[in-house]
Amino acid sequence: ILETSPLATAIAVDCDPVLLAMVKIALARFGNRVTLVDADMREQNWTDKLPVQQVDAAVSCSALHGLSTDDLIHVYDDMAERMPEGGMILINGDHLAYDKTERFSQRLAQAHRDRVCRRLQQSPESADRETWWKGVEREPGLQKAFAERAIRQAAATRHHGARHASQLNSLSLHTVALRNAGCSEVTTLWQHFDSRIVMGIKGRKIQDALKPVVEHVVNYWNDPTRSQEYDTD
């Protein structure tokens, strides 16, 4: 995004000291166009740590699946509050599962994942997640960050419970959560089986859009003559 949009600035948010240390190095070439924020999205008022009151877009990739369903809904709401109406609330890239009724599609996606895993295992240059992280842990410059990470993770587990990929991390869940947060448009920009990039555009919240209708119905039946007639019938 920073490369393709030279006038854009970015706020990078994470609560993992290891990832924050790594991204500080990776994005150093962009200078003051990037602000790193150490914040846990599971905490209330985490957006208070952002350096600005309003943002135009929020982008995530392979991260929000670590949130519980309730936390995910709150994060979408939190971001929507920081965006102007008509703004792009979120672009989220992740594995968003098919619904349970889409059994054939589920089998296709699983078969594809199995095939990719077998191909990677046969490649001498590939490393699985566990092997990769063990290599990173040996980096001298990250020893302090890993020690801090262990302390934080233990505290977070006691407070929030163990992090895990939500079993409800489906496209339907994200669509409903985005709509609830105020997205008038939710669409899939790109898809390869259950790997998707989903975008939500902020409009008026459903509750706000329905408010005039609700008021009209209430006023209609609060009319003394009409309500008495209704009760009689």
Side-chain angles (χ1 to χ4, degrees), residues 76 89-90 92 96 170-189 197-203 206:
Y76 281 157
I89 176 174
L90 188 82
N92 182 31
L96 302 179
S170 66
L171 177 63
S172 296
L173 167 65
H174 285 257
T175 299
V176 171
L178 286 166
R179 292 282 188 189
N180 181 72
C183 285
S184 56
E185 241 182 280
V186 179
T187 187
T188 298
L189 295 178
I197 297 176
V198 177
M199 178 177 69
I201 303 295
K202 181 181 176 182
I206 295 175

PDB file of all heavy atoms in Angstrom, residues 76 89-90 92 96 170-189 197-203 206:
ATOM      1  N   TYR A  76     -14.513  -4.713  14.526  1.00  0.00           N
ATOM      2  CA  TYR A  76     -15.164  -4.075  13.381  1.00  0.00           C
ATOM      3  C   TYR A  76     -15.909  -2.806  13.810  1.00  0.00           C
ATOM      4  O   TYR A  76     -15.863  -1.771  13.135  1.00  0.00           O
ATOM      5  CB  TYR A  76     -16.119  -5.051  12.705  1.00  0.00           C
ATOM      6  CG  TYR A  76     -15.464  -6.065  11.800  1.00  0.00           C
ATOM      7  CD1 TYR A  76     -16.087  -7.270  11.486  1.00  0.00           C
ATOM      8  CD2 TYR A  76     -14.214  -5.825  11.246  1.00  0.00           C
ATOM      9  CE1 TYR A  76     -15.495  -8.195  10.642  1.00  0.00           C
ATOM     10  CE2 TYR A  76     -13.612  -6.749  10.408  1.00  0.00           C
ATOM     11  CZ  TYR A  76     -14.260  -7.934  10.109  1.00  0.00           C
ATOM     12  OH  TYR A  76     -13.658  -8.851   9.276  1.00  0.00           O
ATOM     13  N   ILE A  89     -14.259   0.561   5.372  1.00  0.00           N
ATOM     14  CA  ILE A  89     -14.044   0.128   6.741  1.00  0.00           C
ATOM     15  C   ILE A  89     -12.942  -0.931   6.825  1.00  0.00           C
ATOM     16  O   ILE A  89     -12.094  -0.873   7.703  1.00  0.00           O
ATOM     17  CB  ILE A  89     -15.344  -0.408   7.381  1.00  0.00           C
ATOM     18  CG1 ILE A  89     -15.052  -0.938   8.798  1.00  0.00           C
ATOM     19  CG2 ILE A  89     -16.004  -1.482   6.566  1.00  0.00           C
ATOM     20  CD1 ILE A  89     -16.264  -1.347   9.561  1.00  0.00           C
ATOM     21  N   LEU A  90     -12.922  -1.890   5.918  1.00  0.00           N
ATOM     22  CA  LEU A  90     -11.934  -2.944   6.087  1.00  0.00           C
ATOM     23  C   LEU A  90     -11.699  -3.725   4.809  1.00  0.00           C
ATOM     24  O   LEU A  90     -12.631  -3.992   4.054  1.00  0.00           O
ATOM     25  CB  LEU A  90     -12.400  -3.926   7.166  1.00  0.00           C
ATOM     26  CG  LEU A  90     -11.340  -4.959   7.555  1.00  0.00           C
ATOM     27  CD1 LEU A  90     -10.371  -4.368   8.563  1.00  0.00           C
ATOM     28  CD2 LEU A  90     -11.966  -6.203   8.135  1.00  0.00           C
ATOM     29  N   ASN A  92      -9.975  -7.357   4.397  1.00  0.00           N
ATOM     30  CA  ASN A  92      -9.466  -8.457   5.213  1.00  0.00           C
ATOM     31  C   ASN A  92      -9.170  -9.670   4.341  1.00  0.00           C
ATOM     32  O   ASN A  92     -10.057 -10.200   3.677  1.00  0.00           O
ATOM     33  CB  ASN A  92     -10.489  -8.829   6.292  1.00  0.00           C
ATOM     34  CG  ASN A  92      -9.988  -9.943   7.192  1.00  0.00           C
ATOM     35  OD1 ASN A  92      -8.789 -10.065   7.436  1.00  0.00           O
ATOM     36  ND2 ASN A  92     -10.900 -10.756   7.688  1.00  0.00           N
ATOM     37  N   LEU A  96     -11.433 -17.825   5.090  1.00  0.00           N
ATOM     38  CA  LEU A  96     -12.790 -17.684   5.605  1.00  0.00           C
ATOM     39  C   LEU A  96     -13.587 -18.890   5.127  1.00  0.00           C
ATOM     40  O   LEU A  96     -13.888 -19.024   3.941  1.00  0.00           O
ATOM     41  CB  LEU A  96     -13.417 -16.373   5.125  1.00  0.00           C
ATOM     42  CG  LEU A  96     -12.647 -15.102   5.518  1.00  0.00           C
ATOM     43  CD1 LEU A  96     -13.347 -13.867   4.982  1.00  0.00           C
ATOM     44  CD2 LEU A  96     -12.477 -15.018   7.022  1.00  0.00           C
ATOM     45  N   SER A 170     -16.018 -17.904   9.498  1.00  0.00           N
ATOM     46  CA  SER A 170     -16.598 -18.136   8.183  1.00  0.00           C
ATOM     47  C   SER A 170     -16.894 -16.819   7.487  1.00  0.00           C
ATOM     48  O   SER A 170     -16.921 -15.750   8.112  1.00  0.00           O
ATOM     49  CB  SER A 170     -17.906 -18.927   8.318  1.00  0.00           C
ATOM     50  OG  SER A 170     -18.879 -18.143   8.992  1.00  0.00           O
ATOM     51  N   LEU A 171     -17.118 -16.901   6.196  1.00  0.00           N
ATOM     52  CA  LEU A 171     -17.490 -15.713   5.427  1.00  0.00           C
ATOM     53  C   LEU A 171     -18.782 -15.121   5.965  1.00  0.00           C
ATOM     54  O   LEU A 171     -18.920 -13.901   6.063  1.00  0.00           O
ATOM     55  CB  LEU A 171     -17.635 -16.077   3.948  1.00  0.00           C
ATOM     56  CG  LEU A 171     -18.081 -14.942   3.028  1.00  0.00           C
ATOM     57  CD1 LEU A 171     -17.045 -13.822   3.003  1.00  0.00           C
ATOM     58  CD2 LEU A 171     -18.333 -15.463   1.620  1.00  0.00           C
ATOM     59  N   SER A 172     -19.723 -15.981   6.348  1.00  0.00           N
ATOM     60  CA  SER A 172     -21.007 -15.497   6.860  1.00  0.00           C
ATOM     61  C   SER A 172     -20.820 -14.674   8.118  1.00  0.00           C
ATOM     62  O   SER A 172     -21.447 -13.621   8.283  1.00  0.00           O
ATOM     63  CB  SER A 172     -21.937 -16.688   7.157  1.00  0.00           C
ATOM     64  OG  SER A 172     -22.245 -17.386   5.986  1.00  0.00           O
ATOM     65  N   LEU A 173     -19.951 -15.139   9.016  1.00  0.00           N
ATOM     66  CA  LEU A 173     -19.700 -14.404  10.259  1.00  0.00           C
ATOM     67  C   LEU A 173     -19.149 -13.015   9.958  1.00  0.00           C
ATOM     68  O   LEU A 173     -19.625 -12.005  10.490  1.00  0.00           O
ATOM     69  CB  LEU A 173     -18.717 -15.166  11.145  1.00  0.00           C
ATOM     70  CG  LEU A 173     -18.127 -14.386  12.322  1.00  0.00           C
ATOM     71  CD1 LEU A 173     -19.208 -14.005  13.319  1.00  0.00           C
ATOM     72  CD2 LEU A 173     -17.024 -15.179  12.997  1.00  0.00           C
ATOM     73  N   HIS A 174     -18.148 -12.934   9.092  1.00  0.00           N
ATOM     74  CA  HIS A 174     -17.536 -11.645   8.780  1.00  0.00           C
ATOM     75  C   HIS A 174     -18.517 -10.724   8.060  1.00  0.00           C
ATOM     76  O   HIS A 174     -18.516  -9.515   8.294  1.00  0.00           O
ATOM     77  CB  HIS A 174     -16.270 -11.854   7.944  1.00  0.00           C
ATOM     78  CG  HIS A 174     -15.115 -12.362   8.739  1.00  0.00           C
ATOM     79  ND1 HIS A 174     -14.075 -11.564   9.145  1.00  0.00           N
ATOM     80  CD2 HIS A 174     -14.851 -13.604   9.237  1.00  0.00           C
ATOM     81  CE1 HIS A 174     -13.208 -12.283   9.845  1.00  0.00           C
ATOM     82  NE2 HIS A 174     -13.662 -13.523   9.904  1.00  0.00           N
ATOM     83  N   THR A 175     -19.342 -11.286   7.193  1.00  0.00           N
ATOM     84  CA  THR A 175     -20.337 -10.476   6.489  1.00  0.00           C
ATOM     85  C   THR A 175     -21.328  -9.860   7.467  1.00  0.00           C
ATOM     86  O   THR A 175     -21.618  -8.654   7.413  1.00  0.00           O
ATOM     87  CB  THR A 175     -21.089 -11.329   5.453  1.00  0.00           C
ATOM     88  OG1 THR A 175     -20.159 -11.837   4.492  1.00  0.00           O
ATOM     89  CG2 THR A 175     -22.146 -10.502   4.738  1.00  0.00           C
ATOM     90  N   VAL A 176     -21.839 -10.684   8.390  1.00  0.00           N
ATOM     91  CA  VAL A 176     -22.795 -10.187   9.388  1.00  0.00           C
ATOM     92  C   VAL A 176     -22.137  -9.152  10.294  1.00  0.00           C
ATOM     93  O   VAL A 176     -22.722  -8.111  10.603  1.00  0.00           O
ATOM     94  CB  VAL A 176     -23.362 -11.362  10.220  1.00  0.00           C
ATOM     95  CG1 VAL A 176     -24.174 -10.837  11.399  1.00  0.00           C
ATOM     96  CG2 VAL A 176     -24.226 -12.255   9.348  1.00  0.00           C
ATOM     97  N   ALA A 177     -20.891  -9.414  10.721  1.00  0.00           N
ATOM     98  CA  ALA A 177     -20.187  -8.496  11.613  1.00  0.00           C
ATOM     99  C   ALA A 177     -19.931  -7.155  10.921  1.00  0.00           C
ATOM    100  O   ALA A 177     -20.068  -6.093  11.539  1.00  0.00           O
ATOM    101  CB  ALA A 177     -18.873  -9.121  12.076  1.00  0.00           C
ATOM    102  N   LEU A 178     -19.567  -7.197   9.643  1.00  0.00           N
ATOM    103  CA  LEU A 178     -19.336  -5.962   8.897  1.00  0.00           C
ATOM    104  C   LEU A 178     -20.633  -5.183   8.694  1.00  0.00           C
ATOM    105  O   LEU A 178     -20.663  -3.956   8.814  1.00  0.00           O
ATOM    106  CB  LEU A 178     -18.691  -6.278   7.546  1.00  0.00           C
ATOM    107  CG  LEU A 178     -17.216  -6.678   7.594  1.00  0.00           C
ATOM    108  CD1 LEU A 178     -16.779  -7.286   6.267  1.00  0.00           C
ATOM    109  CD2 LEU A 178     -16.334  -5.481   7.940  1.00  0.00           C
ATOM    110  N   ARG A 179     -21.715  -5.902   8.396  1.00  0.00           N
ATOM    111  CA  ARG A 179     -23.008  -5.233   8.243  1.00  0.00           C
ATOM    112  C   ARG A 179     -23.424  -4.585   9.554  1.00  0.00           C
ATOM    113  O   ARG A 179     -23.909  -3.450   9.583  1.00  0.00           O
ATOM    114  CB  ARG A 179     -24.071  -6.255   7.824  1.00  0.00           C
ATOM    115  CG  ARG A 179     -23.895  -6.820   6.430  1.00  0.00           C
ATOM    116  CD  ARG A 179     -24.353  -5.847   5.375  1.00  0.00           C
ATOM    117  NE  ARG A 179     -24.366  -6.455   4.044  1.00  0.00           N
ATOM    118  CZ  ARG A 179     -24.565  -5.781   2.930  1.00  0.00           C
ATOM    119  NH1 ARG A 179     -24.759  -4.483   2.967  1.00  0.00           N
ATOM    120  NH2 ARG A 179     -24.541  -6.388   1.763  1.00  0.00           N
ATOM    121  N   ASN A 180     -23.233  -5.317  10.652  1.00  0.00           N
ATOM    122  CA  ASN A 180     -23.602  -4.802  11.963  1.00  0.00           C
ATOM    123  C   ASN A 180     -22.787  -3.556  12.317  1.00  0.00           C
ATOM    124  O   ASN A 180     -23.267  -2.650  12.998  1.00  0.00           O
ATOM    125  CB  ASN A 180     -23.396  -5.875  13.024  1.00  0.00           C
ATOM    126  CG  ASN A 180     -23.797  -5.410  14.410  1.00  0.00           C
ATOM    127  OD1 ASN A 180     -24.982  -5.262  14.706  1.00  0.00           O
ATOM    128  ND2 ASN A 180     -22.822  -5.171  15.277  1.00  0.00           N
ATOM    129  N   ALA A 181     -21.530  -3.518  11.851  1.00  0.00           N
ATOM    130  CA  ALA A 181     -20.656  -2.378  12.144  1.00  0.00           C
ATOM    131  C   ALA A 181     -21.012  -1.146  11.320  1.00  0.00           C
ATOM    132  O   ALA A 181     -20.500  -0.060  11.584  1.00  0.00           O
ATOM    133  CB  ALA A 181     -19.201  -2.761  11.892  1.00  0.00           C
ATOM    134  N   GLY A 182     -21.873  -1.329  10.315  1.00  0.00           N
ATOM    135  CA  GLY A 182     -22.301  -0.176   9.534  1.00  0.00           C
ATOM    136  C   GLY A 182     -21.920  -0.210   8.078  1.00  0.00           C
ATOM    137  O   GLY A 182     -21.958   0.822   7.407  1.00  0.00           O
ATOM    138  N   CYS A 183     -21.550  -1.379   7.561  1.00  0.00           N
ATOM    139  CA  CYS A 183     -21.189  -1.480   6.144  1.00  0.00           C
ATOM    140  C   CYS A 183     -22.444  -1.635   5.293  1.00  0.00           C
ATOM    141  O   CYS A 183     -23.214  -2.576   5.469  1.00  0.00           O
ATOM    142  CB  CYS A 183     -20.256  -2.672   5.911  1.00  0.00           C
ATOM    143  SG  CYS A 183     -18.586  -2.373   6.458  1.00  0.00           S
ATOM    144  N   SER A 184     -22.638  -0.714   4.381  1.00  0.00           N
ATOM    145  CA  SER A 184     -23.770  -0.824   3.461  1.00  0.00           C
ATOM    146  C   SER A 184     -23.429  -1.745   2.299  1.00  0.00           C
ATOM    147  O   SER A 184     -24.310  -2.196   1.573  1.00  0.00           O
ATOM    148  CB  SER A 184     -24.150   0.564   2.932  1.00  0.00           C
ATOM    149  OG  SER A 184     -23.026   1.181   2.325  1.00  0.00           O
ATOM    150  N   GLU A 185     -22.139  -2.020   2.115  1.00  0.00           N
ATOM    151  CA  GLU A 185     -21.670  -2.891   1.040  1.00  0.00           C
ATOM    152  C   GLU A 185     -20.628  -3.833   1.614  1.00  0.00           C
ATOM    153  O   GLU A 185     -19.687  -3.405   2.276  1.00  0.00           O
ATOM    154  CB  GLU A 185     -21.006  -2.051  -0.050  1.00  0.00           C
ATOM    155  CG  GLU A 185     -21.660  -2.138  -1.409  1.00  0.00           C
ATOM    156  CD  GLU A 185     -20.904  -1.311  -2.437  1.00  0.00           C
ATOM    157  OE1 GLU A 185     -21.109  -0.090  -2.453  1.00  0.00           O
ATOM    158  OE2 GLU A 185     -20.106  -1.889  -3.190  1.00  0.00           O
ATOM    159  N   VAL A 186     -20.789  -5.125   1.367  1.00  0.00           N
ATOM    160  CA  VAL A 186     -19.774  -6.117   1.726  1.00  0.00           C
ATOM    161  C   VAL A 186     -19.582  -7.010   0.510  1.00  0.00           C
ATOM    162  O   VAL A 186     -20.540  -7.584  -0.011  1.00  0.00           O
ATOM    163  CB  VAL A 186     -20.204  -6.967   2.934  1.00  0.00           C
ATOM    164  CG1 VAL A 186     -19.126  -8.002   3.260  1.00  0.00           C
ATOM    165  CG2 VAL A 186     -20.470  -6.099   4.151  1.00  0.00           C
ATOM    166  N   THR A 187     -18.352  -7.098   0.032  1.00  0.00           N
ATOM    167  CA  THR A 187     -18.113  -7.865  -1.182  1.00  0.00           C
ATOM    168  C   THR A 187     -16.788  -8.604  -1.118  1.00  0.00           C
ATOM    169  O   THR A 187     -15.889  -8.224  -0.364  1.00  0.00           O
ATOM    170  CB  THR A 187     -18.123  -6.929  -2.415  1.00  0.00           C
ATOM    171  OG1 THR A 187     -18.040  -7.713  -3.612  1.00  0.00           O
ATOM    172  CG2 THR A 187     -16.947  -5.964  -2.378  1.00  0.00           C
ATOM    173  N   THR A 188     -16.681  -9.691  -1.881  1.00  0.00           N
ATOM    174  CA  THR A 188     -15.437 -10.442  -1.989  1.00  0.00           C
ATOM    175  C   THR A 188     -14.668  -9.924  -3.192  1.00  0.00           C
ATOM    176  O   THR A 188     -15.119 -10.025  -4.331  1.00  0.00           O
ATOM    177  CB  THR A 188     -15.718 -11.952  -2.159  1.00  0.00           C
ATOM    178  OG1 THR A 188     -16.409 -12.428  -0.994  1.00  0.00           O
ATOM    179  CG2 THR A 188     -14.423 -12.731  -2.311  1.00  0.00           C
ATOM    180  N   LEU A 189     -13.483  -9.347  -2.943  1.00  0.00           N
ATOM    181  CA  LEU A 189     -12.665  -8.790  -4.022  1.00  0.00           C
ATOM    182  C   LEU A 189     -11.899  -9.869  -4.771  1.00  0.00           C
ATOM    183  O   LEU A 189     -11.621  -9.740  -5.958  1.00  0.00           O
ATOM    184  CB  LEU A 189     -11.660  -7.790  -3.446  1.00  0.00           C
ATOM    185  CG  LEU A 189     -12.209  -6.525  -2.809  1.00  0.00           C
ATOM    186  CD1 LEU A 189     -11.065  -5.692  -2.258  1.00  0.00           C
ATOM    187  CD2 LEU A 189     -13.007  -5.722  -3.814  1.00  0.00           C
ATOM    188  N   ILE A 197     -10.345 -12.262  -0.037  1.00  0.00           N
ATOM    189  CA  ILE A 197     -10.145 -10.885   0.381  1.00  0.00           C
ATOM    190  C   ILE A 197     -11.525 -10.237   0.367  1.00  0.00           C
ATOM    191  O   ILE A 197     -12.175 -10.144  -0.676  1.00  0.00           O
ATOM    192  CB  ILE A 197      -9.184 -10.131  -0.545  1.00  0.00           C
ATOM    193  CG1 ILE A 197      -7.792 -10.774  -0.501  1.00  0.00           C
ATOM    194  CG2 ILE A 197      -9.089  -8.664  -0.123  1.00  0.00           C
ATOM    195  CD1 ILE A 197      -6.805 -10.156  -1.464  1.00  0.00           C
ATOM    196  N   VAL A 198     -11.972  -9.830   1.537  1.00  0.00           N
ATOM    197  CA  VAL A 198     -13.313  -9.278   1.703  1.00  0.00           C
ATOM    198  C   VAL A 198     -13.211  -7.794   2.013  1.00  0.00           C
ATOM    199  O   VAL A 198     -12.334  -7.366   2.768  1.00  0.00           O
ATOM    200  CB  VAL A 198     -14.059 -10.003   2.846  1.00  0.00           C
ATOM    201  CG1 VAL A 198     -15.434  -9.392   3.071  1.00  0.00           C
ATOM    202  CG2 VAL A 198     -14.197 -11.486   2.518  1.00  0.00           C
ATOM    203  N   MET A 199     -14.100  -7.005   1.410  1.00  0.00           N
ATOM    204  CA  MET A 199     -14.105  -5.563   1.626  1.00  0.00           C
ATOM    205  C   MET A 199     -15.475  -5.101   2.104  1.00  0.00           C
ATOM    206  O   MET A 199     -16.501  -5.550   1.603  1.00  0.00           O
ATOM    207  CB  MET A 199     -13.753  -4.815   0.343  1.00  0.00           C
ATOM    208  CG  MET A 199     -13.776  -3.303   0.477  1.00  0.00           C
ATOM    209  SD  MET A 199     -13.279  -2.436  -1.041  1.00  0.00           S
ATOM    210  CE  MET A 199     -14.670  -2.825  -2.121  1.00  0.00           C
ATOM    211  N   GLY A 200     -15.471  -4.211   3.087  1.00  0.00           N
ATOM    212  CA  GLY A 200     -16.705  -3.594   3.557  1.00  0.00           C
ATOM    213  C   GLY A 200     -16.619  -2.085   3.407  1.00  0.00           C
ATOM    214  O   GLY A 200     -15.604  -1.482   3.741  1.00  0.00           O
ATOM    215  N   ILE A 201     -17.676  -1.468   2.882  1.00  0.00           N
ATOM    216  CA  ILE A 201     -17.748  -0.020   2.722  1.00  0.00           C
ATOM    217  C   ILE A 201     -18.732   0.526   3.742  1.00  0.00           C
ATOM    218  O   ILE A 201     -19.872   0.075   3.819  1.00  0.00           O
ATOM    219  CB  ILE A 201     -18.215   0.377   1.307  1.00  0.00           C
ATOM    220  CG1 ILE A 201     -17.290  -0.232   0.261  1.00  0.00           C
ATOM    221  CG2 ILE A 201     -18.273   1.890   1.171  1.00  0.00           C
ATOM    222  CD1 ILE A 201     -15.887   0.282   0.302  1.00  0.00           C
ATOM    223  N   LYS A 202     -18.284   1.493   4.512  1.00  0.00           N
ATOM    224  CA  LYS A 202     -19.121   2.018   5.577  1.00  0.00           C
ATOM    225  C   LYS A 202     -20.227   2.910   5.027  1.00  0.00           C
ATOM    226  O   LYS A 202     -20.002   3.817   4.255  1.00  0.00           O
ATOM    227  CB  LYS A 202     -18.278   2.817   6.574  1.00  0.00           C
ATOM    228  CG  LYS A 202     -19.099   3.379   7.739  1.00  0.00           C
ATOM    229  CD  LYS A 202     -18.239   4.179   8.682  1.00  0.00           C
ATOM    230  CE  LYS A 202     -19.092   4.800   9.781  1.00  0.00           C
ATOM    231  NZ  LYS A 202     -18.296   5.623  10.704  1.00  0.00           N
ATOM    232  N   GLY A 203     -21.450   2.620   5.458  1.00  0.00           N
ATOM    233  CA  GLY A 203     -22.600   3.475   5.179  1.00  0.00           C
ATOM    234  C   GLY A 203     -23.298   3.743   6.494  1.00  0.00           C
ATOM    235  O   GLY A 203     -22.698   3.606   7.555  1.00  0.00           O
ATOM    236  N   ILE A 206     -27.540  -0.017  10.116  1.00  0.00           N
ATOM    237  CA  ILE A 206     -28.901  -0.502   9.891  1.00  0.00           C
ATOM    238  C   ILE A 206     -29.859   0.121  10.902  1.00  0.00           C
ATOM    239  O   ILE A 206     -30.958   0.548  10.569  1.00  0.00           O
ATOM    240  CB  ILE A 206     -28.940  -2.041   9.986  1.00  0.00           C
ATOM    241  CG1 ILE A 206     -28.123  -2.657   8.846  1.00  0.00           C
ATOM    242  CG2 ILE A 206     -30.373  -2.554   9.951  1.00  0.00           C
ATOM    243  CD1 ILE A 206     -28.009  -4.158   8.917  1.00  0.00           C
TER     244      ILE A 206
END
